[in-house]
Coordinates of all heavy atoms in Angstrom, one line a residue:
S57 N 14.0 1.8 2.7 CA 14.2 0.2 2.9 C 12.8 -0.5 2.7 O 12.9 -1.7 2.4 CB 14.8 -0.1 4.3 OG 14.4 0.6 5.3
N58 N 11.6 0.1 3.0 CA 10.4 -0.6 2.8 C 9.3 0.4 2.9 O 9.5 1.6 3.3 CB 10.1 -1.8 3.8 CG 10.3 -1.4 5.2 OD1 9.5 -0.6 5.7 ND2 11.4 -1.7 5.8
G59 N 8.1 -0.1 2.7 CA 6.8 0.8 2.7 C 6.6 1.3 4.1 O 5.9 2.5 4.2
S60 N 6.7 0.5 5.1 CA 6.5 0.9 6.4 C 7.5 2.1 6.9 O 7.0 3.0 7.5 CB 6.6 -0.2 7.4 OG 5.8 -1.4 6.9
A61 N 8.7 1.9 6.4 CA 9.8 3.0 6.6 C 9.4 4.3 6.0 O 9.4 5.3 6.5 CB 11.1 2.4 6.3
A62 N 8.8 4.1 4.8 CA 8.3 5.3 4.0 C 7.3 6.1 4.8 O 7.3 7.3 4.8 CB 7.8 4.8 2.7
L63 N 6.4 5.3 5.4 CA 5.3 6.0 6.1 C 5.9 6.6 7.5 O 5.6 7.8 7.8 CB 4.2 4.9 6.6 CG 3.3 4.5 5.5 CD1 2.6 3.2 5.9 CD2 2.4 5.6 5.2
T84 N -6.7 -1.4 7.0 CA -5.4 -1.3 6.4 C -4.3 -2.0 7.2 O -4.7 -2.6 8.3 CB -5.1 0.3 6.3 OG1 -3.8 0.4 5.6 CG2 -4.8 0.9 7.7
I85 N -3.2 -2.1 6.7 CA -2.1 -2.7 7.3 C -1.7 -2.1 8.5 O -1.7 -0.8 8.6 CB -0.9 -3.0 6.2 CG1 0.1 -3.9 6.8 CG2 -0.3 -1.5 5.9 CD1 1.1 -4.4 5.6
S87 N 1.2 -1.0 9.4 CA 2.2 0.0 9.2 C 1.6 1.4 9.3 O 2.3 2.4 9.8 CB 2.8 -0.2 7.9 OG 3.2 -1.6 7.6
C88 N 0.5 1.5 8.9 CA -0.1 2.9 8.8 C -0.3 3.4 10.1 O 0.0 4.6 10.4 CB -1.5 2.8 8.0 SG -1.3 2.3 6.3
V130 N -5.3 6.0 2.4 CA -4.7 4.6 2.0 C -5.6 4.0 1.0 O -6.7 3.6 1.2 CB -4.6 3.7 3.3 CG1 -3.8 2.4 2.8 CG2 -4.0 4.4 4.5
H131 N -5.1 3.7 -0.3 CA -5.9 3.1 -1.3 C -5.8 1.6 -1.1 O -4.7 1.0 -0.9 CB -5.3 3.5 -2.7 CG -5.1 5.0 -2.9 ND1 -6.2 5.9 -2.8 CD2 -4.0 5.7 -3.1 CE1 -5.7 7.0 -3.1 NE2 -4.4 7.1 -3.2
I132 N -6.9 1.0 -1.3 CA -7.0 -0.4 -0.8 C -7.3 -1.4 -1.9 O -8.4 -1.3 -2.6 CB -8.1 -0.6 0.2 CG1 -7.7 0.2 1.6 CG2 -8.3 -2.0 0.7 CD1 -6.5 -0.2 2.4
D156 N -0.8 6.9 1.2 CA -0.1 5.7 1.0 C -0.6 5.0 -0.2 O -1.8 4.5 -0.3 CB -0.4 5.0 2.3 CG 0.3 3.6 2.3 OD1 0.9 3.1 1.3 OD2 0.2 2.8 3.3
A157 N 0.3 5.0 -1.2 CA -0.1 4.4 -2.4 C 0.5 3.0 -2.7 O 0.7 2.6 -3.9 CB 0.3 5.3 -3.7
A158 N 0.8 2.3 -1.7 CA 1.6 1.1 -1.6 C 0.8 0.0 -2.5 O 1.5 -1.0 -3.0 CB 1.8 0.6 -0.3
E159 N -0.4 0.1 -2.7 CA -1.2 -1.0 -3.4 C -1.7 -0.5 -4.7 O -2.4 -1.2 -5.4 CB -2.4 -1.4 -2.5 CG -2.0 -1.8 -1.2 CD -3.1 -2.3 -0.3 OE1 -4.3 -2.3 -0.7 OE2 -2.8 -2.6 1.0
T178 N 3.7 7.9 -0.5 CA 4.6 6.6 -0.2 C 4.2 5.5 -1.0 O 3.0 5.3 -1.3 CB 4.6 6.2 1.3 OG1 3.3 5.7 1.6 CG2 5.0 7.3 2.2
F179 N 5.2 4.7 -1.3 CA 5.1 3.3 -2.0 C 5.8 2.3 -1.3 O 6.7 2.6 -0.6 CB 5.6 3.4 -3.4 CG 4.7 4.2 -4.5 CD1 4.9 5.5 -4.8 CD2 3.6 3.6 -5.0 CE1 4.1 6.2 -5.7 CE2 2.8 4.2 -5.9 CZ 3.1 5.4 -6.2
S180 N 5.3 1.0 -1.5 CA 6.1 -0.1 -1.1 C 6.5 -0.9 -2.3 O 5.8 -0.9 -3.3 CB 5.3 -1.0 0.0 OG 5.7 -2.3 0.0
F181 N 7.6 -1.6 -2.2 CA 7.9 -2.5 -3.3 C 8.2 -3.9 -2.8 O 9.1 -4.7 -3.2 CB 9.2 -2.0 -4.0 CG 9.2 -0.7 -4.5 CD1 10.0 0.4 -3.9 CD2 8.2 -0.2 -5.4 CE1 10.0 1.6 -4.3 CE2 8.1 1.1 -5.8 CZ 8.9 2.0 -5.3
Y182 N 7.3 -4.4 -1.9 CA 7.3 -5.8 -1.3 C 7.0 -6.7 -2.5 O 6.3 -6.3 -3.4 CB 6.2 -5.8 -0.3 CG 6.3 -7.0 0.6 CD1 7.3 -7.2 1.5 CD2 5.3 -8.0 0.4 CE1 7.3 -8.6 2.1 CE2 5.1 -9.2 1.1 CZ 6.2 -9.5 1.9 OH 6.2 -10.7 2.5
N184 N 4.8 -8.7 -3.2 CA 3.3 -8.9 -3.8 C 2.8 -7.5 -4.3 O 1.7 -7.4 -4.7 CB 2.5 -9.4 -2.7 CG 2.2 -8.5 -1.6 OD1 2.8 -7.4 -1.4 ND2 1.5 -8.9 -0.6
K185 N 3.6 -6.5 -4.5 CA 3.2 -5.2 -5.0 C 3.3 -5.2 -6.6 O 3.9 -6.2 -7.0 CB 3.9 -4.0 -4.4 CG 4.0 -4.0 -2.9 CD 2.7 -3.9 -2.1 CE 3.0 -3.9 -0.6 NZ 1.8 -3.7 0.2
G190 N 12.1 -6.7 -3.9 CA 12.4 -7.7 -2.7 C 11.7 -6.9 -1.5 O 10.6 -7.1 -1.2
E191 N 12.5 -6.1 -0.8 CA 11.9 -5.1 0.1 C 12.2 -3.8 -0.5 O 13.2 -3.6 -1.1 CB 12.6 -5.3 1.6 CG 12.3 -6.6 2.2 CD 11.1 -6.8 2.9 OE1 10.4 -5.7 3.0 OE2 10.7 -8.0 3.2
G192 N 11.4 -2.8 -0.1 CA 11.7 -1.5 -0.6 C 10.6 -0.5 -0.5 O 9.5 -1.0 -0.4
G193 N 11.0 0.8 -0.5 CA 9.8 1.8 -0.4 C 10.2 3.1 -0.9 O 11.5 3.3 -1.4
W286 N -4.7 -5.0 -7.2 CA -3.5 -5.3 -6.3 C -3.6 -6.8 -5.8 O -2.7 -7.7 -6.0 CB -3.3 -4.4 -5.1 CG -2.1 -5.0 -4.4 CD1 -0.9 -5.2 -4.9 CD2 -2.2 -5.2 -3.0 NE1 -0.1 -5.7 -3.8 CE2 -0.9 -5.7 -2.6 CE3 -3.1 -5.1 -2.0 CZ2 -0.6 -6.1 -1.3 CZ3 -2.9 -5.6 -0.7 CH2 -1.5 -6.0 -0.4
F315 N -7.5 -7.4 5.9 CA -6.7 -6.9 6.9 C -7.6 -6.8 8.2 O -8.8 -6.7 8.1 CB -6.5 -5.4 6.7 CG -5.4 -5.1 5.6 CD1 -5.6 -4.3 4.5 CD2 -4.1 -5.6 5.7 CE1 -4.6 -4.1 3.5 CE2 -3.2 -5.6 4.8 CZ -3.4 -4.7 3.7
Ligands
PLP17 C1 2.3 -3.3 1.7 C2 1.8 -2.1 2.3 C3 2.6 -1.3 3.2 C4 3.9 -1.7 3.9 O1 4.9 -2.0 3.0 P1 6.1 -2.9 3.5 O2 7.1 -2.6 2.4 O3 5.7 -4.2 3.5 O4 6.7 -2.4 4.7 C5 2.0 0.0 3.7 N1 0.8 0.3 3.4 C6 0.0 -0.4 2.6 C7 -1.3 0.0 2.2 C8 0.4 -1.7 2.1 O5 -0.3 -2.6 1.4

Side-chain angles (χ1 to χ4, degrees):
S57 43
N58 55 66
S60 307
L63 287 166
T84 185
I85 192 164
S87 316
C88 300
V130 190
H131 308 299
I132 298 292
D156 180 353
E159 302 180 4
T178 63
F179 283 97
S180 159
F181 307 115
Y182 188 73
N184 65 358
K185 312 294 181 178
E191 298 283 346
W286 172 54
F315 289 128

